PDB file of all heavy atoms in Angstrom:
ATOM      1  N   PRO A 370      68.268  45.183   5.374  1.00  0.00           N
ATOM      2  CA  PRO A 370      69.412  44.387   5.875  1.00  0.00           C
ATOM      3  C   PRO A 370      69.444  44.390   7.389  1.00  0.00           C
ATOM      4  O   PRO A 370      70.056  43.583   7.935  1.00  0.00           O
ATOM      5  CB  PRO A 370      70.592  45.241   5.388  1.00  0.00           C
ATOM      6  CG  PRO A 370      70.027  46.625   5.184  1.00  0.00           C
ATOM      7  CD  PRO A 370      68.642  46.349   4.699  1.00  0.00           C
ATOM      8  N   ASP A 371      68.503  45.086   8.050  1.00  0.00           N
ATOM      9  CA  ASP A 371      68.638  45.255   9.580  1.00  0.00           C
ATOM     10  C   ASP A 371      67.401  44.811  10.297  1.00  0.00           C
ATOM     11  O   ASP A 371      67.363  44.890  11.566  1.00  0.00           O
ATOM     12  CB  ASP A 371      68.792  46.765   9.900  1.00  0.00           C
ATOM     13  CG  ASP A 371      69.974  47.359   9.180  1.00  0.00           C
ATOM     14  OD1 ASP A 371      71.016  46.701   9.013  1.00  0.00           O
ATOM     15  OD2 ASP A 371      69.826  48.537   8.931  1.00  0.00           O
ATOM     16  N   ILE A 372      66.349  44.205   9.542  1.00  0.00           N
ATOM     17  CA  ILE A 372      65.184  43.893  10.214  1.00  0.00           C
ATOM     18  C   ILE A 372      64.798  42.500   9.745  1.00  0.00           C
ATOM     19  O   ILE A 372      64.616  42.099   8.570  1.00  0.00           O
ATOM     20  CB  ILE A 372      64.052  44.872   9.800  1.00  0.00           C
ATOM     21  CG1 ILE A 372      64.396  46.323  10.313  1.00  0.00           C
ATOM     22  CG2 ILE A 372      62.727  44.462  10.432  1.00  0.00           C
ATOM     23  CD1 ILE A 372      63.453  47.432   9.813  1.00  0.00           C
ATOM     24  N   VAL A 373      64.466  41.642  10.677  1.00  0.00           N
ATOM     25  CA  VAL A 373      63.873  40.271  10.463  1.00  0.00           C
ATOM     26  C   VAL A 373      62.360  40.456  10.543  1.00  0.00           C
ATOM     27  O   VAL A 373      61.790  41.110  11.532  1.00  0.00           O
ATOM     28  CB  VAL A 373      64.373  39.294  11.653  1.00  0.00           C
ATOM     29  CG1 VAL A 373      63.670  38.037  11.373  1.00  0.00           C
ATOM     30  CG2 VAL A 373      65.930  39.218  11.621  1.00  0.00           C
ATOM     31  N   ARG A 374      61.797  39.994   9.583  1.00  0.00           N
ATOM     32  CA  ARG A 374      60.181  40.170   9.377  1.00  0.00           C
ATOM     33  C   ARG A 374      59.559  38.835   9.505  1.00  0.00           C
ATOM     34  O   ARG A 374      60.087  37.785   8.999  1.00  0.00           O
ATOM     35  CB  ARG A 374      60.004  40.911   8.090  1.00  0.00           C
ATOM     36  CG  ARG A 374      58.452  41.067   7.867  1.00  0.00           C
ATOM     37  CD  ARG A 374      58.195  41.801   6.670  1.00  0.00           C
ATOM     38  NE  ARG A 374      59.043  41.524   5.403  1.00  0.00           N
ATOM     39  CZ  ARG A 374      58.707  41.816   4.239  1.00  0.00           C
ATOM     40  NH1 ARG A 374      57.432  42.242   3.906  1.00  0.00           N
ATOM     41  NH2 ARG A 374      59.506  41.683   3.122  1.00  0.00           N
ATOM     42  N   MET A 375      58.423  38.731  10.118  1.00  0.00           N
ATOM     43  CA  MET A 375      57.679  37.482  10.206  1.00  0.00           C
ATOM     44  C   MET A 375      56.082  37.866  10.035  1.00  0.00           C
ATOM     45  O   MET A 375      55.586  38.894  10.432  1.00  0.00           O
ATOM     46  CB  MET A 375      57.840  36.909  11.630  1.00  0.00           C
ATOM     47  CG  MET A 375      59.205  36.286  11.848  1.00  0.00           C
ATOM     48  SD  MET A 375      59.576  36.022  13.473  1.00  0.00           S
ATOM     49  CE  MET A 375      60.440  37.559  14.020  1.00  0.00           C
ATOM     50  N   ALA A 376      55.471  36.901   9.388  1.00  0.00           N
ATOM     51  CA  ALA A 376      54.095  37.050   8.971  1.00  0.00           C
ATOM     52  C   ALA A 376      53.450  35.622   8.911  1.00  0.00           C
ATOM     53  O   ALA A 376      53.054  35.144   7.850  1.00  0.00           O
ATOM     54  CB  ALA A 376      53.792  37.740   7.772  1.00  0.00           C
ATOM     55  N   PRO A 377      53.382  34.938  10.183  1.00  0.00           N
ATOM     56  CA  PRO A 377      52.970  33.451  10.138  1.00  0.00           C
ATOM     57  C   PRO A 377      51.418  33.425   9.735  1.00  0.00           C
ATOM     58  O   PRO A 377      50.712  34.432   9.662  1.00  0.00           O
ATOM     59  CB  PRO A 377      53.223  33.125  11.512  1.00  0.00           C
ATOM     60  CG  PRO A 377      53.148  34.285  12.376  1.00  0.00           C
ATOM     61  CD  PRO A 377      53.734  35.458  11.389  1.00  0.00           C
ATOM     62  N   SER A 378      50.983  32.157   9.704  1.00  0.00           N
ATOM     63  CA  SER A 378      49.654  31.923   9.468  1.00  0.00           C
ATOM     64  C   SER A 378      48.778  32.505  10.578  1.00  0.00           C
ATOM     65  O   SER A 378      49.125  32.452  11.660  1.00  0.00           O
ATOM     66  CB  SER A 378      49.334  30.402   9.323  1.00  0.00           C
ATOM     67  OG  SER A 378      48.037  30.044   9.494  1.00  0.00           O
ATOM     68  N   LEU A 379      47.557  32.996  10.185  1.00  0.00           N
ATOM     69  CA  LEU A 379      46.635  33.546  11.119  1.00  0.00           C
ATOM     70  C   LEU A 379      46.076  32.569  12.207  1.00  0.00           C
ATOM     71  O   LEU A 379      45.591  32.907  13.231  1.00  0.00           O
ATOM     72  CB  LEU A 379      45.496  34.334  10.559  1.00  0.00           C
ATOM     73  CG  LEU A 379      45.855  35.368   9.577  1.00  0.00           C
ATOM     74  CD1 LEU A 379      44.608  36.055   8.973  1.00  0.00           C
ATOM     75  CD2 LEU A 379      46.773  36.387  10.022  1.00  0.00           C
ATOM     76  N   ILE A 380      46.220  31.273  11.687  1.00  0.00           N
ATOM     77  CA  ILE A 380      45.698  30.181  12.573  1.00  0.00           C
ATOM     78  C   ILE A 380      46.794  29.146  12.912  1.00  0.00           C
ATOM     79  O   ILE A 380      46.399  28.034  13.276  1.00  0.00           O
ATOM     80  CB  ILE A 380      44.568  29.521  11.845  1.00  0.00           C
ATOM     81  CG1 ILE A 380      44.929  28.908  10.481  1.00  0.00           C
ATOM     82  CG2 ILE A 380      43.232  30.444  11.632  1.00  0.00           C
ATOM     83  CD1 ILE A 380      43.912  27.907   9.841  1.00  0.00           C
ATOM     84  N   ILE A 381      48.066  29.635  13.059  1.00  0.00           N
ATOM     85  CA  ILE A 381      48.972  28.761  13.466  1.00  0.00           C
ATOM     86  C   ILE A 381      48.773  28.264  14.818  1.00  0.00           C
ATOM     87  O   ILE A 381      48.184  28.935  15.621  1.00  0.00           O
ATOM     88  CB  ILE A 381      50.430  29.577  13.427  1.00  0.00           C
ATOM     89  CG1 ILE A 381      51.622  28.611  13.725  1.00  0.00           C
ATOM     90  CG2 ILE A 381      50.423  30.688  14.372  1.00  0.00           C
ATOM     91  CD1 ILE A 381      53.081  29.236  13.573  1.00  0.00           C
ATOM     92  N   THR A 382      49.015  26.885  15.023  1.00  0.00           N
ATOM     93  CA  THR A 382      48.669  26.366  16.139  1.00  0.00           C
ATOM     94  C   THR A 382      49.746  26.832  17.293  1.00  0.00           C
ATOM     95  O   THR A 382      50.783  27.141  17.075  1.00  0.00           O
ATOM     96  CB  THR A 382      48.752  24.827  16.152  1.00  0.00           C
ATOM     97  OG1 THR A 382      50.058  24.366  15.935  1.00  0.00           O
ATOM     98  CG2 THR A 382      47.724  24.294  15.037  1.00  0.00           C
ATOM     99  N   HIS A 383      49.231  26.826  18.615  1.00  0.00           N
ATOM    100  CA  HIS A 383      50.216  27.112  19.708  1.00  0.00           C
ATOM    101  C   HIS A 383      51.487  26.277  19.629  1.00  0.00           C
ATOM    102  O   HIS A 383      52.539  26.778  19.865  1.00  0.00           O
ATOM    103  CB  HIS A 383      49.543  26.879  21.057  1.00  0.00           C
ATOM    104  CG  HIS A 383      50.283  27.285  22.207  1.00  0.00           C
ATOM    105  ND1 HIS A 383      50.501  28.619  22.552  1.00  0.00           N
ATOM    106  CD2 HIS A 383      51.018  26.389  23.059  1.00  0.00           C
ATOM    107  CE1 HIS A 383      51.338  28.513  23.757  1.00  0.00           C
ATOM    108  NE2 HIS A 383      51.681  27.305  23.936  1.00  0.00           N
ATOM    109  N   ASP A 384      51.205  24.970  19.357  1.00  0.00           N
ATOM    110  CA  ASP A 384      52.463  24.045  19.425  1.00  0.00           C
ATOM    111  C   ASP A 384      53.419  24.289  18.260  1.00  0.00           C
ATOM    112  O   ASP A 384      54.624  24.373  18.393  1.00  0.00           O
ATOM    113  CB  ASP A 384      52.043  22.401  19.375  1.00  0.00           C
ATOM    114  CG  ASP A 384      51.306  22.114  20.642  1.00  0.00           C
ATOM    115  OD1 ASP A 384      51.404  22.771  21.639  1.00  0.00           O
ATOM    116  OD2 ASP A 384      50.644  20.945  20.593  1.00  0.00           O
ATOM    117  N   GLU A 385      52.902  24.612  17.124  1.00  0.00           N
ATOM    118  CA  GLU A 385      53.678  24.987  16.004  1.00  0.00           C
ATOM    119  C   GLU A 385      54.432  26.264  16.236  1.00  0.00           C
ATOM    120  O   GLU A 385      55.673  26.488  15.920  1.00  0.00           O
ATOM    121  CB  GLU A 385      52.872  25.024  14.744  1.00  0.00           C
ATOM    122  CG  GLU A 385      52.657  23.674  14.096  1.00  0.00           C
ATOM    123  CD  GLU A 385      51.662  23.897  12.826  1.00  0.00           C
ATOM    124  OE1 GLU A 385      50.843  24.727  12.847  1.00  0.00           O
ATOM    125  OE2 GLU A 385      51.825  23.057  11.973  1.00  0.00           O
ATOM    126  N   MET A 386      53.796  27.315  16.787  1.00  0.00           N
ATOM    127  CA  MET A 386      54.354  28.567  17.145  1.00  0.00           C
ATOM    128  C   MET A 386      55.485  28.336  18.095  1.00  0.00           C
ATOM    129  O   MET A 386      56.538  29.024  17.973  1.00  0.00           O
ATOM    130  CB  MET A 386      53.230  29.587  17.570  1.00  0.00           C
ATOM    131  CG  MET A 386      53.805  30.908  17.808  1.00  0.00           C
ATOM    132  SD  MET A 386      52.398  32.160  18.137  1.00  0.00           S
ATOM    133  CE  MET A 386      51.811  31.600  19.711  1.00  0.00           C
ATOM    134  N   MET A 387      55.225  27.740  19.169  1.00  0.00           N
ATOM    135  CA  MET A 387      56.243  27.482  20.224  1.00  0.00           C
ATOM    136  C   MET A 387      57.474  26.814  19.603  1.00  0.00           C
ATOM    137  O   MET A 387      58.651  27.147  19.920  1.00  0.00           O
ATOM    138  CB  MET A 387      55.699  26.811  21.518  1.00  0.00           C
ATOM    139  CG  MET A 387      54.622  27.749  22.169  1.00  0.00           C
ATOM    140  SD  MET A 387      55.431  29.150  22.813  1.00  0.00           S
ATOM    141  CE  MET A 387      54.533  30.472  21.806  1.00  0.00           C
ATOM    142  N   GLU A 388      57.139  25.694  18.854  1.00  0.00           N
ATOM    143  CA  GLU A 388      58.300  25.050  18.308  1.00  0.00           C
ATOM    144  C   GLU A 388      59.106  25.844  17.261  1.00  0.00           C
ATOM    145  O   GLU A 388      60.350  25.836  17.432  1.00  0.00           O
ATOM    146  CB  GLU A 388      57.764  23.760  17.474  1.00  0.00           C
ATOM    147  CG  GLU A 388      58.824  22.882  16.876  1.00  0.00           C
ATOM    148  CD  GLU A 388      58.318  21.634  16.190  1.00  0.00           C
ATOM    149  OE1 GLU A 388      57.067  21.487  16.285  1.00  0.00           O
ATOM    150  OE2 GLU A 388      59.092  20.914  15.583  1.00  0.00           O
TER     151      GLU A 388
END
Side-chain angles (χ1 to χ4, degrees):
D371 307 325
I372 299 168
V373 178
R374 177 171 40 153
M375 286 161 272
S378 163
L379 306 183
I380 58 171
I381 186 172
T382 68
H383 178 79
D384 289 347
E385 285 176 322
M386 183 169 68
M387 289 300 113
E388 184 178 353

